[in-house]
């Protein structure tokens, strides 16, 4: 993999400050780039199905502690007897935001010194009981679209991606060029690292 200089702090801040999508779908929008996944986009994605194979983006429930899982999840089972029969029930507890669990970040998840999504004030929108704006239930219709898988280890000729050599945007662009793939509005980019699968809306 050829070495390329990392972007400077000022370049990164410039990209953030562009705010390309703020207000694009109105000041009260709570869907973000999911707006690009239109009924026509879903139908076009469905027409690409050839063999019906399902590829899950899930990972095993992260109960085992490790370097990438300092806050392991809890899973306990309890049995309840009723005469000669009974039933079992589960308790789950998980700290979602890490690299060991599968999760989707809502628009309210992060912000900078200016504001959260669409210029909202996180002090007003985020409460102990949940978010008043930009929370995950606005994506409840499910995210069904064309997925573009980018296999980073295959591109590099290595078995997996390491923390010492993380994936950069320019590398994903190189993979697209090499595979002659053109991204379209509403595509979901899925990049594989043989350990962590990340997805991004385009």
């Amino acid at each position: 993999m050829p070495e390329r200089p990392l972007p400077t702090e000022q370049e990164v801040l410039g990209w953030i400050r562009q705010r390309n999508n703020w207000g694009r779908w109105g000041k009260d929008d709570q869907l973000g780039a999911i707006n690009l996944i239109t009924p026509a986009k879903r139908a076009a994605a469905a027409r690409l199905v050839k063999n019906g194979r399902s590829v899950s983006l899930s990972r095993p429930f992260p109960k085992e502690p490790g370097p990438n899982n300092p806050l392991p999840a809890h899973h306990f089972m309890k049995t309840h007897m009723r005469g000669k029969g009974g039933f079992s029930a589960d308790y789950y507890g998980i700290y979602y935001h890490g690299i060991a669990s599968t999760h989707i970040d809502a628009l309210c998840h992060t912000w900078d010194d200016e504001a959260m999504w669409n210029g909202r004030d996180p002090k007003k929108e985020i409460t102990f009981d949940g978010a008043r704006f930009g929370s995950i239930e606005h994506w409840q219709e499910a995210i069904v679209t064309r997925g573009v898988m980018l296999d980073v280890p295959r591109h590099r000729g290595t078995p997996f991606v390491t923390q010492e050599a993380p994936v950069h945007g320019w590398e994903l662009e190189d993979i697209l060029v090499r595979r002659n793939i053109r991204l379209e509005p509403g595509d979901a980019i899925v990049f594989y690292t043989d350990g962590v699968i990340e997805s991004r809306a385009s």
Side-chain angles (χ1 to χ4, degrees):
M1 182 178 68
E3 291 295 325
R4 300 193 195 183
L6 293 175
T8 66
E9 180 180 354
Q10 291 305 312
E11 286 176 316
V12 173
L13 289 175
W15 297 333
I16 293 172
R17 296 290 184 256
Q18 288 177 8
R19 311 282 191 206
N20 289 334
N21 284 325
W22 280 20
R24 181 175 177 180
W25 297 286
K27 65 182 180 64
D28 295 323
D29 171 65
Q30 299 187 66
L31 294 177
I34 299 298
N35 281 291
L36 297 172
I37 304 176
T38 63
K41 180 68 179 180
R42 293 188 192 101
R47 287 193 294 271
L48 296 173
V49 175
K50 294 181 180 178
N51 58 22
R53 178 182 172 217
S54 176
V55 179
S56 174
L57 298 182
S58 68
R59 305 182 71 194
F61 198 65
K63 296 192 297 182
E64 298 300 321
N68 70 333
N69 192 22
L71 298 169
H74 303 148
H75 176 213
F76 307 115
M77 289 199 71
K78 182 174 177 59
T79 57
H80 302 267
M81 301 304 296
R82 290 184 175 172
K84 294 183 178 180
F87 67 95
S88 63
D90 297 89
Y91 162 83
Y92 288 97
I94 185 169
Y95 182 77
Y96 274 105
H97 293 98
I99 60 173
S101 63
T102 301
H103 64 281
I104 299 176
D105 290 331
L107 292 174
C108 64
H109 173 54
T110 187
W111 57 87
D112 61 15
D113 58 334
E114 289 189 10
M116 59 183 274
W117 168 252
N118 248 1
R120 294 292 182 125
D121 182 352
K123 292 178 182 177
K124 296 179 180 177
E125 306 296 353
I126 308 298
T127 74
F128 181 78
D129 296 317
R132 295 189 177 112
F133 184 83
S135 54
I136 200 72
E137 72 265 16
H138 299 287
W139 299 345
Q140 63 187 330
E141 292 183 4
I143 301 171
V144 179
T145 190
R146 183 178 83 143
V148 179
M149 171 71 88
L150 305 181
D151 189 333
V152 179
R154 181 177 181 183
H155 175 73
R156 292 182 177 182
T158 60
F160 48 81
V161 172
T162 65
Q163 290 184 348
E164 294 76 25
V167 180
H168 295 287
W170 56 261
E171 187 173 13
L172 300 178
E173 291 175 0
D174 287 351
I175 297 171
L176 290 168
V177 170
R178 180 176 288 184
R179 291 183 55 197
N180 195 28
I181 296 174
R182 180 179 172 274
L183 292 179
E184 301 170 358
D187 283 347
I189 306 168
V190 180
F191 54 97
Y192 178 67
T193 62
D194 195 30
V196 177
I197 296 179
E198 295 276 358
S199 63
R200 296 286 185 268
S202 67

